[in-house]
Amino acid sequence: MRILLVEDEMNMAAALTATLSRHNIVVDHVRTLEFAEEACRSGLHDAVILDRKLPDGDGLSLIPVLRREQAGLPIIVLSALGTLDHRVAGLDHGADDYLAKPFSTDELVARLRAVMRRPARIEESTISIGLLRFNLTARYAELAGKPLDLTRRELLALELLVRRSGRTVPRSALEEAVYGYDDEIASNSLDAHISRLRRKLSGAGVEIHGIRGLGYLLRAAQ
Ligand code: CA
């Protein structure tokens, strides 16, 4: 899962990013409405966590903008404006959920899972290629019915390759899927993840081809 966090308090953003990362959630953090709108255009995010009091306006004004970019995008508002009226205003603006600060991070993660589980958002759950089965809802991979042991980054790379199987996935898209905006990316580390993935997938009837200068392509072995 990859989420967009719109939050101008740096301490809050850092703490949330650390917590969510421990739950295998990749966090892209932006501080303003303007950057949030831009980040959302990438279409990479599964959900948005949105603060209200931002340097360039009320986070609620962003909800219709985000929904125009991506209709079913789950949005949770996280705000110090926590009275009943504030919460009702948030839900009226189309937020899926509204959590008042201070909040427990466990509760936030639970609510994030809940908004992602809602029927409208359930996607095709499993993709099979060769002996590999990737469950997109629960986010795990199996090989011939046995769980495949993957690191978080291997899982994120494999997820994107599987979702776009048969097509070349640009290197930049893979790097964006595997690393948050703030992570340092060593120039060869993506290749290292891919080569470990290839080893783990050996015998699965799945090939990952490197397309020089472009990216990678996953498909059933010929
Ligand atoms: Ca704020």
Side-chain angles (χ1 to χ4, degrees), residues 131-159:
L131 298 176
L132 171 69
R133 275 167 66 83
F134 197 105
N135 185 314
L136 296 166
T137 312
R139 303 184 76 239
Y140 67 87
E142 286 179 347
L143 205 57
K146 295 200 185 94
L148 193 56
D149 186 24
L150 299 173
T151 66
R152 180 169 66 94
R153 287 184 169 150
E154 288 163 3
L155 180 78
L156 292 165
L158 182 61
E159 181 177 7

Short mmCIF file of all heavy atoms in Angstrom, two decimals, residues 131-159:
data_model
loop_
_atom_site.label_atom_id
_atom_site.label_comp_id
_atom_site.label_asym_id
_atom_site.label_seq_id
_atom_site.Cartn_x
_atom_site.Cartn_y
_atom_site.Cartn_z
N LEU A 131 3.36 -20.31 -11.81
CA LEU A 131 3.01 -20.86 -10.48
C LEU A 131 2.88 -19.76 -9.43
O LEU A 131 2.64 -20.04 -8.25
CB LEU A 131 4.07 -21.86 -10.03
CG LEU A 131 4.26 -23.10 -10.92
CD1 LEU A 131 5.42 -23.95 -10.40
CD2 LEU A 131 2.98 -23.93 -10.96
N LEU A 132 3.10 -18.53 -9.88
CA LEU A 132 3.03 -17.40 -8.94
C LEU A 132 1.59 -16.90 -8.83
O LEU A 132 0.91 -16.71 -9.82
CB LEU A 132 3.92 -16.25 -9.47
CG LEU A 132 3.81 -14.92 -8.73
CD1 LEU A 132 4.41 -15.01 -7.33
CD2 LEU A 132 4.53 -13.81 -9.52
N ARG A 133 1.16 -16.72 -7.58
CA ARG A 133 -0.13 -16.08 -7.34
C ARG A 133 0.12 -14.88 -6.46
O ARG A 133 0.74 -14.98 -5.41
CB ARG A 133 -1.07 -17.03 -6.59
CG ARG A 133 -1.84 -17.99 -7.48
CD ARG A 133 -2.47 -19.08 -6.63
NE ARG A 133 -3.50 -18.55 -5.73
CZ ARG A 133 -4.76 -18.32 -6.09
NH1 ARG A 133 -5.16 -18.57 -7.31
NH2 ARG A 133 -5.64 -17.85 -5.23
N PHE A 134 -0.37 -13.73 -6.90
CA PHE A 134 -0.19 -12.51 -6.10
C PHE A 134 -1.56 -12.02 -5.67
O PHE A 134 -2.41 -11.71 -6.50
CB PHE A 134 0.54 -11.44 -6.91
CG PHE A 134 1.11 -10.36 -6.05
CD1 PHE A 134 2.48 -10.30 -5.81
CD2 PHE A 134 0.29 -9.41 -5.45
CE1 PHE A 134 3.00 -9.31 -4.98
CE2 PHE A 134 0.81 -8.42 -4.62
CZ PHE A 134 2.18 -8.38 -4.40
N ASN A 135 -1.76 -11.96 -4.37
CA ASN A 135 -3.03 -11.46 -3.84
C ASN A 135 -2.89 -9.96 -3.58
O ASN A 135 -2.15 -9.54 -2.70
CB ASN A 135 -3.38 -12.21 -2.55
CG ASN A 135 -4.75 -11.81 -2.04
OD1 ASN A 135 -5.07 -10.63 -1.97
ND2 ASN A 135 -5.54 -12.80 -1.67
N LEU A 136 -3.61 -9.17 -4.37
CA LEU A 136 -3.45 -7.71 -4.32
C LEU A 136 -4.17 -7.10 -3.11
O LEU A 136 -3.81 -6.03 -2.66
CB LEU A 136 -4.01 -7.07 -5.59
CG LEU A 136 -3.28 -7.45 -6.88
CD1 LEU A 136 -4.12 -7.05 -8.08
CD2 LEU A 136 -1.92 -6.79 -6.94
N THR A 137 -5.18 -7.78 -2.63
CA THR A 137 -5.92 -7.23 -1.49
C THR A 137 -5.13 -7.44 -0.20
O THR A 137 -4.89 -6.52 0.56
CB THR A 137 -7.30 -7.89 -1.38
OG1 THR A 137 -7.89 -7.88 -2.67
CG2 THR A 137 -8.19 -7.13 -0.41
N ALA A 138 -4.71 -8.69 0.02
CA ALA A 138 -3.97 -8.99 1.23
C ALA A 138 -2.47 -8.72 1.05
O ALA A 138 -1.72 -8.69 2.01
CB ALA A 138 -4.18 -10.45 1.63
N ARG A 139 -2.04 -8.52 -0.18
CA ARG A 139 -0.67 -8.19 -0.53
C ARG A 139 0.32 -9.25 -0.07
O ARG A 139 1.19 -9.00 0.75
CB ARG A 139 -0.30 -6.81 0.00
CG ARG A 139 -1.25 -5.79 -0.54
CD ARG A 139 -0.94 -4.41 -0.16
NE ARG A 139 0.16 -3.89 -0.92
CZ ARG A 139 1.26 -3.45 -0.37
NH1 ARG A 139 1.43 -3.50 0.90
NH2 ARG A 139 2.20 -2.95 -1.13
N TYR A 140 0.14 -10.45 -0.60
CA TYR A 140 1.18 -11.45 -0.41
C TYR A 140 1.29 -12.28 -1.67
O TYR A 140 0.40 -12.29 -2.51
CB TYR A 140 0.91 -12.32 0.82
CG TYR A 140 -0.30 -13.21 0.69
CD1 TYR A 140 -0.20 -14.48 0.11
CD2 TYR A 140 -1.55 -12.78 1.14
CE1 TYR A 140 -1.32 -15.29 -0.03
CE2 TYR A 140 -2.66 -13.58 1.01
CZ TYR A 140 -2.54 -14.83 0.42
OH TYR A 140 -3.64 -15.62 0.28
N ALA A 141 2.44 -12.96 -1.78
CA ALA A 141 2.68 -13.76 -2.97
C ALA A 141 2.88 -15.21 -2.56
O ALA A 141 3.41 -15.50 -1.48
CB ALA A 141 3.93 -13.25 -3.68
N GLU A 142 2.39 -16.10 -3.41
CA GLU A 142 2.56 -17.54 -3.17
C GLU A 142 3.18 -18.17 -4.40
O GLU A 142 2.89 -17.75 -5.53
CB GLU A 142 1.21 -18.22 -2.98
CG GLU A 142 0.53 -17.96 -1.68
CD GLU A 142 -0.83 -18.67 -1.61
OE1 GLU A 142 -1.33 -19.13 -2.67
OE2 GLU A 142 -1.37 -18.75 -0.52
N LEU A 143 3.98 -19.20 -4.15
CA LEU A 143 4.58 -19.95 -5.25
C LEU A 143 4.14 -21.39 -5.08
O LEU A 143 4.42 -22.00 -4.05
CB LEU A 143 6.10 -19.84 -5.12
CG LEU A 143 6.90 -20.00 -6.39
CD1 LEU A 143 6.47 -18.99 -7.42
CD2 LEU A 143 8.38 -19.83 -6.09
N ALA A 144 3.42 -21.89 -6.06
CA ALA A 144 2.90 -23.26 -5.99
C ALA A 144 2.20 -23.49 -4.65
O ALA A 144 2.38 -24.53 -4.01
CB ALA A 144 4.03 -24.28 -6.20
N GLY A 145 1.44 -22.50 -4.20
CA GLY A 145 0.65 -22.65 -2.98
C GLY A 145 1.41 -22.37 -1.69
O GLY A 145 0.81 -22.35 -0.62
N LYS A 146 2.74 -22.12 -1.78
CA LYS A 146 3.50 -21.82 -0.56
C LYS A 146 3.84 -20.34 -0.51
O LYS A 146 4.21 -19.76 -1.53
CB LYS A 146 4.81 -22.61 -0.55
CG LYS A 146 4.63 -24.11 -0.47
CD LYS A 146 5.92 -24.78 0.02
CE LYS A 146 5.81 -26.29 0.00
NZ LYS A 146 6.33 -26.88 -1.23
N PRO A 147 3.72 -19.73 0.68
CA PRO A 147 4.02 -18.29 0.79
C PRO A 147 5.46 -18.00 0.34
O PRO A 147 6.38 -18.75 0.68
CB PRO A 147 3.87 -17.99 2.28
CG PRO A 147 3.19 -19.17 2.87
CD PRO A 147 3.37 -20.33 1.95
N LEU A 148 5.61 -16.95 -0.42
CA LEU A 148 6.92 -16.55 -0.90
C LEU A 148 7.48 -15.53 0.09
O LEU A 148 6.82 -14.55 0.43
CB LEU A 148 6.75 -15.92 -2.28
CG LEU A 148 7.95 -15.67 -3.17
CD1 LEU A 148 8.74 -16.96 -3.38
CD2 LEU A 148 7.49 -15.11 -4.51
N ASP A 149 8.68 -15.81 0.57
CA ASP A 149 9.28 -14.95 1.58
C ASP A 149 9.97 -13.76 0.89
O ASP A 149 11.01 -13.93 0.25
CB ASP A 149 10.28 -15.80 2.39
CG ASP A 149 10.84 -15.01 3.56
OD1 ASP A 149 10.16 -14.06 4.00
OD2 ASP A 149 11.95 -15.34 4.01
N LEU A 150 9.39 -12.58 1.02
CA LEU A 150 9.92 -11.40 0.33
C LEU A 150 10.15 -10.27 1.32
O LEU A 150 9.39 -10.13 2.29
CB LEU A 150 8.92 -10.91 -0.73
CG LEU A 150 8.55 -11.87 -1.86
CD1 LEU A 150 7.42 -11.28 -2.70
CD2 LEU A 150 9.75 -12.16 -2.74
N THR A 151 11.15 -9.45 1.05
CA THR A 151 11.30 -8.23 1.85
C THR A 151 10.23 -7.25 1.39
O THR A 151 9.62 -7.42 0.34
CB THR A 151 12.69 -7.58 1.63
OG1 THR A 151 12.76 -7.13 0.28
CG2 THR A 151 13.81 -8.56 1.91
N ARG A 152 10.04 -6.19 2.17
CA ARG A 152 9.02 -5.21 1.83
C ARG A 152 9.27 -4.64 0.43
O ARG A 152 8.36 -4.51 -0.38
CB ARG A 152 9.05 -4.07 2.86
CG ARG A 152 8.02 -2.98 2.60
CD ARG A 152 7.92 -2.05 3.81
NE ARG A 152 9.14 -1.31 4.00
CZ ARG A 152 9.35 -0.09 3.50
NH1 ARG A 152 8.43 0.49 2.78
NH2 ARG A 152 10.48 0.54 3.75
N ARG A 153 10.52 -4.30 0.14
CA ARG A 153 10.81 -3.68 -1.16
C ARG A 153 10.66 -4.67 -2.30
O ARG A 153 10.21 -4.30 -3.39
CB ARG A 153 12.18 -3.02 -1.14
CG ARG A 153 12.11 -1.76 -0.31
CD ARG A 153 13.37 -0.96 -0.27
NE ARG A 153 13.04 0.32 0.35
CZ ARG A 153 13.86 1.04 1.05
NH1 ARG A 153 15.11 0.63 1.25
NH2 ARG A 153 13.47 2.18 1.56
N GLU A 154 11.03 -5.91 -2.06
CA GLU A 154 10.82 -6.92 -3.11
C GLU A 154 9.33 -7.08 -3.39
O GLU A 154 8.91 -7.19 -4.54
CB GLU A 154 11.42 -8.27 -2.68
CG GLU A 154 12.95 -8.29 -2.68
CD GLU A 154 13.54 -9.45 -1.88
OE1 GLU A 154 12.78 -10.29 -1.35
OE2 GLU A 154 14.77 -9.50 -1.76
N LEU A 155 8.55 -7.08 -2.31
CA LEU A 155 7.10 -7.22 -2.47
C LEU A 155 6.51 -6.06 -3.27
O LEU A 155 5.70 -6.25 -4.17
CB LEU A 155 6.45 -7.29 -1.08
CG LEU A 155 4.92 -7.45 -1.07
CD1 LEU A 155 4.54 -8.89 -1.37
CD2 LEU A 155 4.33 -7.03 0.27
N LEU A 156 6.96 -4.84 -2.96
CA LEU A 156 6.44 -3.65 -3.64
C LEU A 156 6.81 -3.68 -5.13
O LEU A 156 6.01 -3.33 -6.00
CB LEU A 156 6.96 -2.38 -2.97
CG LEU A 156 6.42 -2.13 -1.56
CD1 LEU A 156 7.25 -1.08 -0.83
CD2 LEU A 156 4.95 -1.72 -1.61
N ALA A 157 8.05 -4.10 -5.43
CA ALA A 157 8.48 -4.18 -6.83
C ALA A 157 7.68 -5.25 -7.56
O ALA A 157 7.18 -5.04 -8.66
CB ALA A 157 9.98 -4.48 -6.90
N LEU A 158 7.53 -6.40 -6.91
CA LEU A 158 6.81 -7.51 -7.55
C LEU A 158 5.34 -7.12 -7.78
O LEU A 158 4.77 -7.43 -8.83
CB LEU A 158 6.90 -8.77 -6.68
CG LEU A 158 6.22 -10.02 -7.27
CD1 LEU A 158 6.85 -10.41 -8.60
CD2 LEU A 158 6.30 -11.19 -6.28
N GLU A 159 4.76 -6.42 -6.82
CA GLU A 159 3.36 -6.02 -6.97
C GLU A 159 3.16 -5.19 -8.24
O GLU A 159 2.25 -5.44 -9.03
CB GLU A 159 2.92 -5.22 -5.74
CG GLU A 159 1.46 -4.78 -5.82
CD GLU A 159 0.99 -4.03 -4.57
OE1 GLU A 159 1.82 -3.73 -3.69
OE2 GLU A 159 -0.21 -3.76 -4.49
#
